Amino acid sequence: MQTNFNQESSKKGEQFEKYVQDIIFPDAHYELIYKTSDSKQNTYRYPKKSLEPDFHFKCRLTGQEFHVEAKWRAKPFKNQFDVLSGNQIKLFPSLESKSNPLDILFGYGGVASEPDYVHLIPLQEI
């Protein structure tokens, strides 16, 4: 069971993930292969797969598969955005390949369900 749990932060994260899944990568264009567990499941019993990126999609047009880690921040802290945790920085490069890239979808400003800005950043640029 996780001990470092912020319910409000988790709710915002889930709202942004819904935005990513429904607006940025809609079902009409992207097949959803995998999505990590929600906070309710993770607080009950944390599946190891939850350490992986939030989404695994497949483009319906090209067949290209890719992973996406969704991150939303309301505002910077000390003029900087914390994008990935230390564990993610260590783990994510081992999950990426040419045939299955990993991108960070970073949203900020506005509200989690409708951010002011959204950027898709290749993992190598983080």
Side-chain angles (χ1 to χ4, degrees), residues 6-66:
N6 179 319
Q7 190 171 9
E8 184 63 26
S9 178
S10 179
K11 180 180 174 186
K12 289 176 183 177
E14 289 172 7
Q15 288 172 349
F16 186 61
E17 287 178 6
K18 182 171 176 24
Y19 173 84
V20 169
Q21 179 179 306
D22 297 345
I23 305 300
I24 304 296
F25 297 106
D27 186 49
H29 302 288
Y30 299 93
E31 178 183 353
L32 178 60
I33 295 173
Y34 172 77
K35 182 178 184 307
T36 57
S37 302
D38 63 15
S39 60
K40 184 177 179 181
Q41 167 60 45
N42 287 348
T43 56
Y44 169 70
R45 186 168 181 186
Y46 195 84
K48 192 163 182 154
K49 283 269 260 187
S50 284
L51 295 172
E52 294 183 8
D54 295 318
F55 298 99
H56 183 174
F57 290 108
K58 180 177 181 179
C59 178
R60 294 188 188 280
L61 181 65
T62 66
Q64 173 69 47
E65 292 186 27
F66 56 98

